[in-house]
Amino acid sequence: MNPTKTWRTWLPWVALGLAVVGALVAAGAFFILRAFDTPVRVGLAVALVGLAAFVYLEPERVRRWLTGREARYGSNALVLSLAFIGILAALNYLASLYPQRWDLTEDRRNTLAPEIQEVLRALDEPVTAYAFYSANINRDYAREVLDKFALASEGKFTYKFVDPIANPALAQQYGVTRDGTVVLVMGDRHEQVLFLSDEEIANALARLMRPEERVVVFVTGHGEGDIETLGETGYSLLKDELTNRNFTVRTWSLPAEGSLPEDADVVIFAGPTQPFTDKERQVIQDYLANGGSVIFLFNTSVEGAAEPDADLQAYLADQWFVQVDDTVVVDTSSPQQPLIAVGIPTARHPVTQKLAGLVVLFPVARSVRALDGAPATLSVEELLHTTDRAWAETDLAAFTTSTPEGAQVAYDEGEDLPGPVPLVVVAHDTLTDARIVVVGDADFARNGFYQAYGNGLLLLDAVDWAAGQENLITITPKPQTQRYLKPLAGYGLSALALTSICLLPGVVLVIGGVVWFRRRMRR
Amino acid sequence: MRTVWIIARREFRRYFTSPVGYLVLFLYLFILGLIVNNSLQQAYAFSVFQGAPPPGADIVIGPMLTLLVFSIPALTMRLLAEEQASGTLELLLTAPVRDWELVVGKWLGAFLFVVVLLALTLIYPLALHLLTEPGLDWGPVISGYLGLLLVSAALLALGVAVSALFRSQVAAFVVTLALFLFLWMISSLASAGSPSEGVLRYLDFGHHFYTSFFRGVIDLQGVVYYLSVTAFGLFVGTVIIESRRWRG
């Protein structure tokens, strides 16, 4: 075979192939980059050189293509194809203009509640949701929730996934510290959603639409923890996270001012170690009587808190039906650290609803109980309890007197409070809308423990609830069909495996084999 | 239309007389069985400890699209490539059969085969229904299977078009699979929030399936998209066959 002839036959086609690839690369690169950048130029150059080479090597064929029968039919086919593609594109465009969706699921799982659709209709500015999800977490659920909003919003709600590890600058800009956070951005305002659900996004949207300053005040003057201290004993992490959630956070010296700030949505007493004066106590009482919201975090006296501020305790018990005990919780669920009480959410409440599956660690806590007999206008609820392996020790001397054998602490029936020991109580006066949250520990939210389990979340949600921000949108709960797997006996699972893997494919294989064999025999 | 039906029936029968049809059926059902069984065993292990909700139809429908992407090229590779390789296409082109009837007939035959394949897999949702109390939510099963039928129709049409381009079945298989994978991954080309993202995501055939049909929603946009791709594939296939009459 003549080698020259061989390469003369394939070289033009290689050149034409290169031209097509070059043109495709250039078009694709331009489509993605939207700029006349290097990849586009290189692609175009390759396409031109390839085309020129083909024309040079096959002039006769090109002439035939351009003038002959092929050209005529080819151009007809091209015009017809373009018209057909145009019609299809128009149909698809029309379908995108008038979206129609039918939700076939039994519980209308893919349909937003009417209240949320109302919020979306009321949106007057476009909202972009940045879902900060690293490659480590599954995006399916987030996509499902965000899609519902994007589809129901008629273009006003869009979302993007951002990998916070690959794009730390954007994460930092919106103060994102947890993987899986969604940030809703509207104009120059933004709201963080830490636990994704329809309701959480709707509430964040409602807050974005009604921007108003929300103020959290940390009272100082009685040895309370400091929100600026970065070390383990400070509350700076809590302060940062509240700031990220658009709260204005500041301190306020009760002894110096002699009052509580009027613009505060929530006032926090984070572990006072000194008792309050009569006047200060009166200020707190008046503040609550006028519908204020207060979060009390009480440490135990074995940690140095002056004990007892009996008057404040009496006020909380008499007026709010919240009993703050002079006890120390001993929790044997972790034998190495019996003074760390492990709190488990035990009630359905806005403060604990996001803690599903998470515990809260309270290092050295006292018990806080809800008392019976509260009037109908006052709802008092215990939210977190220890397990029944803990108790509240009333003999505090045992913790401070050191004996050669070490502290002798044991459960004394009749004297100590048996587990499960209540640790957090909330009370809501529906007449004045005053709200209090009382926690039998102040250390769980300090920097040292803030990021453990649900510790930070508990306080963040407590602040939201106390500020009346927990449910701007109340949604009538949809009835959900509860499903469960029927129990199977031991051999049931094996039978299941056998039928699903072997039976059906096996039957197909056998029939296939028989058909093949019969055809072979016939030949 | 009678011609279309005759060709379709012939093609449909050929799947059951050739080993390829049985091989595709066997592999499809075997792999799907493995996946479904694995998910079920896991669900049982979890339900003992945590009382987790039982698996829905998604454990069956989820992997089915992936399996279709790899099975359909094997079903379409032969359709027109074989006719070209054996020279019977020329014979067909001289017969009183219009080009579009040939292409649509071939496509319909393959589609009927996929309908049988999908119908066989209904045994898994049925088993789930019997294992769950108070039974399966059939909404996502209906929408999921409708979605799978639409996706199959679209992919088969593209496969037929590619098959019209080649004489070699292997080449047709490889190019069809490459095209499917490209259309599957196309939206990941522009995830950086570029303006083309919307268009690319729209072209992604997995996107329409997983954001609606798979979740129990019938989306008009998805229906229009898949029918458009089907029409496009059949049209291109017809043009390619037609071009054989005037190509040099």
Side-chain angles (χ1 to χ4, degrees), chain A residues 344-497:
Chain A
I344 301 162
T346 44
R348 273 185 69 85
H349 191 274
V351 172
T352 50
Q353 69 180 9
K354 288 174 220 154
L355 287 178
L358 288 172
V359 296
V360 179
L361 301 185
F362 299 94
V364 196
R366 60 165 85 213
S367 52
V368 182
R369 288 176 290 146
L371 297 174
D372 293 333
T377 54
L378 184 70
S379 70
V380 190
E381 251 186 290
E382 295 173 353
L383 296 188
L384 282 96
H385 288 79
T386 63
T387 63
D388 52 10
R389 277 182 301 211
W391 73 90
E393 178 66 46
T394 49
D395 179 17
L396 301 189
F399 292 96
T400 42
T401 48
S402 52
T403 59
E405 298 84 31
Q408 292 291 319
V409 182
Y411 175 64
D412 300 309
E413 185 128 18
E415 286 179 34
D416 298 334
L417 182 68
V421 181
L423 297 163
V424 179
V425 176
V426 291
H428 181 200
D429 186 336
T430 47
L431 281 182
T432 60
D433 200 28
R435 297 167 186 222
I436 64 167
V437 180
V438 185
V439 185
D441 180 41
D443 305 324
F444 78 101
R446 291 186 202 268
N447 294 347
F449 274 86
Y450 185 81
Q451 279 169 330
Y453 302 95
N455 283 29
L457 275 180
L458 174 68
L459 202 51
L460 288 176
D461 289 339
V463 170
D464 266 349
W465 178 76
Q469 294 282 324
E470 83 288 3
N471 266 339
L472 292 172
I473 315 293
T474 32
I475 292 159
T476 341
K478 289 191 215 170
Q480 298 279 335
T481 315
Q482 294 298 321
R483 292 193 155 80
Y484 60 89
L485 279 173
K486 288 182 195 165
L488 270 184
Y491 62 84
L493 280 176
S494 318
L496 195 70

Side-chain angles (χ1 to χ4, degrees), chain B residues 209-220:
Chain B
F209 181 75
Y210 286 114
T211 54
S212 51
F213 299 100
F214 178 60
R215 292 180 190 158
V217 176
I218 295 179
D219 182 10
L220 180 69

Side-chain angles (χ1 to χ4, degrees), chain A residues 35-102:
Chain A
F36 198 63
D37 278 347
T38 315
V40 185
R41 286 183 212 167
V42 171
L44 273 184
V46 170
L48 284 175
V49 170
L51 205 60
F54 183 77
V55 173
Y56 176 74
L57 294 168
E58 290 276 352
E60 186 53 32
R61 192 185 290 273
V62 173
R63 198 189 57 76
R64 216 170 52 234
W65 277 359
L66 289 178
T67 55
R69 203 167 67 99
E70 289 184 14
R72 210 169 54 247
Y73 281 109
S75 54
N76 275 351
L78 186 72
V79 170
L80 202 63
S81 304
L82 287 178
F84 193 76
I85 291 171
I87 291 169
L88 291 182
L91 277 177
N92 280 271
Y93 180 66
L94 278 178
S96 73
L97 283 186
Y98 304 102
Q100 286 288 330
R101 286 166 70 86
W102 297 274

Side-chain angles (χ1 to χ4, degrees), chain A residues 103-429:
Chain A
D103 188 353
L104 301 190
T105 54
E106 198 176 322
D107 302 326
R108 298 286 166 273
R109 213 175 57 211
N110 298 292
T111 312
L112 288 173
E115 295 90 339
I116 300 181
Q117 294 186 12
E118 201 61 45
V119 175
L120 279 173
R121 266 194 290 277
L123 273 183
D124 43 10
E125 266 184 80
V127 173
T128 307
Y130 293 100
F132 289 92
Y133 278 64
S134 73
N136 302 326
I137 26 179
N138 193 323
R139 298 178 173 187
D140 290 349
Y141 174 67
R143 198 169 280 130
E144 192 177 330
V145 172
L146 293 168
D147 268 339
K148 276 191 266 183
F149 280 82
L151 289 165
S153 71
E154 292 167 5
K156 283 187 280 189
F157 184 100
T158 49
Y159 73 89
K160 281 182 192 130
F161 276 98
V162 180
D163 186 341
I165 297 162
N167 193 347
L170 197 65
Q172 212 165 13
Q173 183 186 338
Y174 293 117
V176 173
T177 52
R178 288 164 201 261
D179 204 352
T181 302
V182 175
V183 178
L184 305 183
V185 183
M186 180 197 250
D188 55 356
R189 302 187 300 278
H190 67 269
E191 277 283 338
Q192 278 193 12
V193 177
L194 295 182
F195 273 76
L196 198 58
S197 69
D198 294 359
E199 204 164 348
E200 283 296 306
I201 294 196
N203 275 302
L205 285 173
R207 284 198 292 272
L208 276 176
M209 283 192 277
R210 277 181 274 170
E212 48 191 50
E213 199 183 30
R214 292 169 293 158
V215 181
V216 177
V217 165
F218 282 78
V219 175
T220 59
H222 303 86
E224 290 92 346
D226 182 25
I227 56 169
E228 303 297 342
T229 304
L230 298 174
E232 290 210 339
T233 56
Y235 286 97
S236 64
L237 289 176
L238 172 62
K239 184 206 163 189
D240 290 347
E241 205 136 28
L242 284 171
T243 313
N244 285 335
R245 297 181 125 197
N246 292 344
F247 281 99
T248 305
V249 185
R250 58 171 195 261
T251 55
W252 181 272
S253 170
L254 179 57
E257 303 283 346
S259 66
L260 283 172
E262 281 176 9
D263 65 339
D265 292 279
V266 184
V267 170
I268 301 181
F269 293 88
T273 56
Q274 300 298 316
F276 298 93
T277 64
D278 290 343
K279 190 180 163 248
E280 286 165 354
R281 204 172 306 110
Q282 193 57 49
V283 167
I284 299 171
Q285 290 179 19
D286 291 347
Y287 180 77
L288 282 169
N290 288 326
S293 295
V294 177
I295 297 177
F296 293 104
L297 312 178
F298 289 123
N299 267 332
T300 61
S301 57
V302 296
E303 297 164 278
E307 281 286 357
D309 193 338
D311 293 328
L312 185 62
Q313 278 171 307
Y315 162 72
L316 290 174
D318 294 345
Q319 292 289 315
W320 290 92
F321 293 81
V322 178
Q323 179 64 49
V324 181
D325 293 326
D326 294 327
T327 56
V328 170
V329 177
V330 182
D331 191 341
T332 58
S333 44
S334 89
Q336 287 82 23
Q337 293 171 310
L339 290 187
I340 294 189
V342 181
I344 301 162
T346 44
R348 273 185 69 85
H349 191 274
V351 172
T352 50
Q353 69 180 9
K354 288 174 220 154
L355 287 178
L358 288 172
V359 296
V360 179
L361 301 185
F362 299 94
V364 196
R366 60 165 85 213
S367 52
V368 182
R369 288 176 290 146
L371 297 174
D372 293 333
T377 54
L378 184 70
S379 70
V380 190
E381 251 186 290
E382 295 173 353
L383 296 188
L384 282 96
H385 288 79
T386 63
T387 63
D388 52 10
R389 277 182 301 211
W391 73 90
E393 178 66 46
T394 49
D395 179 17
L396 301 189
F399 292 96
T400 42
T401 48
S402 52
T403 59
E405 298 84 31
Q408 292 291 319
V409 182
Y411 175 64
D412 300 309
E413 185 128 18
E415 286 179 34
D416 298 334
L417 182 68
V421 181
L423 297 163
V424 179
V425 176
V426 291
H428 181 200
D429 186 336

Side-chain angles (χ1 to χ4, degrees), chain B:
Chain B
M1 277 314 276
R2 227 182 119 246
T3 328
V4 171
W5 184 239
I6 290 169
I7 297 172
R9 249 183 22 203
R10 180 173 150 264
E11 280 309 321
F12 178 66
R13 282 209 192 117
R14 281 192 64 185
Y15 283 115
F16 291 101
T17 50
S18 75
V20 175
Y22 287 102
L23 197 68
V24 168
L25 271 183
F26 168 73
L27 283 176
Y28 195 96
L29 294 171
F30 180 68
I31 297 172
L32 185 64
L34 278 179
I35 298 172
V36 171
N37 177 58
N38 192 29
S39 310
L40 262 179
Q41 305 279 351
Q42 264 183 8
Y44 264 103
F46 272 116
S47 71
V48 171
F49 297 113
Q50 302 177 352
D58 51 327
I59 64 162
V60 182
I61 295 168
M64 274 167 77
L65 179 61
T66 318
L67 289 172
L68 278 179
V69 167
F70 289 93
S71 313
I72 286 181
L75 296 176
T76 57
M77 63 179 186
R78 204 203 60 219
L79 292 176
L80 289 162
E82 196 185 37
E83 305 271 11
Q84 295 185 67
S86 61
T88 45
L89 188 63
E90 270 65 29
L91 221 65
L92 270 171
L93 290 179
T94 52
V97 178
R98 276 177 234 137
D99 296 340
W100 71 264
E101 287 175 335
L102 174 67
V103 173
V104 173
K106 295 267 178 188
W107 166 82
L108 189 60
F111 183 69
L112 290 176
F113 181 79
V114 173
V115 171
V116 170
L117 170 69
L118 294 180
L120 284 176
T121 64
L122 275 172
I123 194 168
Y124 298 113
L126 210 63
L128 271 175
H129 179 69
L130 296 175
L131 291 171
T132 318
E133 192 66 46
L136 199 64
D137 180 357
W138 285 96
V141 180
I142 295 168
S143 69
Y145 272 82
L146 176 71
L148 286 171
L149 283 177
L150 286 167
V151 175
S152 305
L155 293 183
L156 285 168
L158 292 179
V160 170
V162 173
S163 172
L165 275 175
F166 293 96
R167 281 171 180 279
S168 149
Q169 294 189 29
V170 177
F173 177 85
V174 171
V175 173
T176 310
L177 187 59
L179 176 70
F180 288 177
L181 292 178
F182 175 72
L183 281 177
W184 205 9
M185 312 274 172
I186 191 166
S187 62
S188 58
L189 283 178
S191 54
S194 65
S196 52
E197 194 187 355
V199 181
L200 291 184
R201 177 147 338 125
Y202 192 85
L203 290 177
D204 184 335
F205 70 77
H207 170 76
H208 293 277
F209 181 75
Y210 286 114
T211 54
S212 51
F213 299 100
F214 178 60
R215 292 180 190 158
V217 176
I218 295 179
D219 182 10
L220 180 69
Q221 214 176 2
V223 175
V224 170
Y225 167 80
Y226 289 125
L227 292 182
S228 303
V229 175
T230 309
F232 176 75
L234 295 176
F235 177 80
V236 171
T238 309
V239 168
I240 293 170
I241 292 295
E242 207 174 52
S243 74
R244 290 183 64 88
R245 295 183 192 278
W246 46 261
R247 260 188 295 156

